[in-house]
Amino acid sequence: MYSKLETYNSKHQVVVRQEILILDFGSQFTQLIARRVRELNVYCEIHPYNKAPELTSNISGVILSGSPCSVREVNAPDVDLSKYVDKVPVLGVCYGAQLIAHKNGGEVFPSSIREYGRAILTIKDENPLTKVLSESSQVWMSHGDTIAKLPDFLEVIASTPTVEYAAFKWKGKEVYGIQFHPEVTHSVEGKQVIKNFVVDICGCPQSWTPSSFVETTVSELKAQLGNDKVVLGLSGGVDSSVAAMLIHKAIGKNLYCVFVDNGLLRKNEFHDVLESYKHMGLNVKGVDAKSRFYEALKDESDPEKKRKAIGKVFIDVFDTESHAIEDVKWLAQGTIYPDVIESVSVKGPSATIKSHHNVGGLPDFMKLKIVEPLKTLFKDEVRNVGRTLGLDPNILNRHPFPGPGLAIRILGDITEEKVRILQEVDHIYINALKTSGLYDQVWQAGAILLPINSVGVMGDERTYEKVVALRAVTSVDGMTADWVHLPYEFLADVSNEIINKVKGVNRVVYDISSKPPATIEWE
């Protein structure tokens, strides 16, 4: 899986790595297309349709994503197909298929009934895209428009009872369109469709593996960094730890790691994490900067402003620490692909979901260059790389934890007392998940302190205290997530323990929202 620039054959000669280019037209499923391609051990990248890179020799095929838009709109997302047709194979998915038809003389009209949900696909013509599929296969439709007419050179290869042109092929060219979504699990043989296109039609070798990523990334880092010194901010999580191990493997003692106590960590985390890194051979310095973060967050309630304030203080701390290291040239970050995707939109900055503290560069005064060895990987891929590197299971299997820490799990302004309350609640909750054997069944869990008080009764007295929400989700890479159906008995026990032991809390609720439409974190 996982080399950004190139792979090597057994004789260590440089070989251009073949990849798939995915052009994003704004579909909620675009990231799933990438996931399915990568599950085939083929590298791919997502780029907004209006910021597409030039076609290079290592791009073996192009996939056009779906979109919430209609090709009939005046300012509909568009791309010059001549850049790709006759040069590499092209697959249009939903909107992508309609765009191919529309731009080549076909007709796309609003569906008489909205085509959404399961449908049975019937293969009409034997072709490379649908080979080894069942004659009738369940697929997932999700579109308001439909192709009403195809030009003569686009031939139908599959239909459903309500969609005549469910799949088509350009005669004499490796150009295909499908109006269903093969990337979602409801399309039972969808992964086979993607494999047929990526592996057989585009000819991509299935050689993108964790071990190849480690080998080539370490080689790239050696070439990129040379004898330069690098400073890296460790968080105790998987991403920064794997980034540190890769860079350490490349440059050894020239990597200087800094672990900052921002006052927003989990209970006892500063001490525990420093202890765990002692056994990894990393040069780690712990920095207590709690007061600086609390001062920067004083009276601030806006989530984005809290993130930016935390990011600024982190930069200030690293600037101070980097000046203590003679001739340091680079700042390393554990940026991963979802960070990049969520911070870039096909519609521009106004549609960004949230800013990420480790995306977007550094202020000029720092004079440091950035190195991000994981920025093309999803979370599960980072874990696979960490496993290959022999990362401590306690870190490898640790739930994701937000960069801004508990600041975005405390809704409203931040005070030391609120942090204390949430740390105690979180400690009880996470320990309960571990002791009950539920921790490894959950992708991410945490507690949220709500900016409200509720009436309660303790003993014979009326109370008016804080409300906390518990959150637990399952996910693969954080792009989508579903809430975990924790046992009622477990939730009852945890709620009772929190209310009895954490002064200032008298009510516990459980979040049953999925992503989308909700996000995993509340801020």
Side-chain angles (χ1 to χ4, degrees), residues 27 46 63 74 136 143 148 151 179 220 241 254 258 290 303 345-346 349 357 367 380 407 443 448 461 469 508:
S27 170
I46 299 170
I63 297 177
V74 175
S136 295
H143 53 262
Q179 290 199 89
E220 292 159 14
S241 299
N254 279 342
V258 179
K290 292 192 291 289
S345 168
V346 298
H357 67 285
K367 307 299 181 185
D380 60 315
W443 192 77
I448 301 92
E461 296 182 0
V508 177

Side-chain angles (χ1 to χ4, degrees), residues 194-418:
I194 294 174
K195 182 180 180 182
N196 288 345
F197 178 73
V198 169
V199 178
D200 297 335
I201 296 172
C202 297
C204 289
Q206 295 176 270
S207 57
W208 199 56
T209 64
S211 57
S212 72
F213 176 83
V214 171
E215 180 183 354
T216 57
T217 300
V218 169
S219 296
E220 292 159 14
L221 289 169
K222 286 179 177 178
Q224 181 183 17
L225 303 174
N227 293 319
D228 290 350
K229 293 179 180 179
V230 179
V231 60
L232 180 147
L234 287 170
S235 69
V238 176
D239 303 337
S240 65
S241 299
V242 173
M245 292 185 75
L246 283 169
I247 297 171
H248 179 71
K249 198 173 178 67
I251 66 172
K253 60 182 173 47
N254 279 342
L255 173 65
Y256 295 79
C257 298
V258 179
F259 181 44
V260 177
D261 185 356
N262 59 7
L264 303 164
L265 303 173
R266 284 175 158 149
K267 184 178 179 180
N268 302 327
E269 187 168 21
F270 187 61
H271 173 269
D272 293 345
V273 169
L274 283 175
E275 282 295 312
S276 68
Y277 282 129
K278 284 182 179 179
H279 308 290
M280 293 170 59
L282 299 176
N283 176 22
V284 184
K285 178 182 179 181
V287 178
D288 184 349
K290 292 192 291 289
S291 60
R292 296 177 66 174
F293 284 90
Y294 288 151
E295 181 61 31
L297 289 167
K298 187 176 180 180
D299 299 325
E300 186 56 71
S301 298
D302 181 84
E304 276 296 285
K305 290 181 179 178
K306 285 196 289 188
R307 287 178 180 271
K308 293 183 186 301
I310 291 167
K312 182 180 183 303
V313 177
F314 264 119
I315 288 172
D316 290 343
V317 170
F318 285 123
D319 187 47
T320 300
E321 293 303 318
S322 65
H323 276 93
I325 306 168
E326 187 177 353
D327 296 327
V328 67
K329 301 286 181 64
W330 297 83
L331 173 67
Q333 297 188 142
T335 308
I336 64 173
Y337 208 24
D339 296 340
V340 176
I341 293 170
E342 288 194 350
S343 295
V344 177
S345 168
V346 298
K347 298 180 181 178
S350 63
T352 296
I353 297 171
K354 60 188 177 184
S355 65
H356 287 267
H357 67 285
N358 57 348
V359 175
L362 294 170
D364 292 337
F365 72 81
M366 283 200 72
K367 307 299 181 185
L368 293 177
K369 294 177 284 187
I370 296 178
V371 56
E372 299 169 310
L374 305 177
K375 68 179 181 181
T376 61
L377 302 189
F378 288 99
K379 175 69 77 171
D380 60 315
E381 295 169 342
V382 175
R383 282 202 170 97
N384 289 338
V385 170
R387 193 170 289 111
T388 298
L389 288 166
L391 182 62
D392 183 340
N394 289 326
I395 296 177
L396 184 67
N397 299 320
R398 183 178 184 263
H399 289 176
F401 189 67
L406 298 180
I408 59 168
R409 292 183 178 176
I410 297 173
L411 276 57
D413 67 322
I414 309 298
T415 67
E416 287 191 60
E417 175 61 12
K418 289 181 180 179

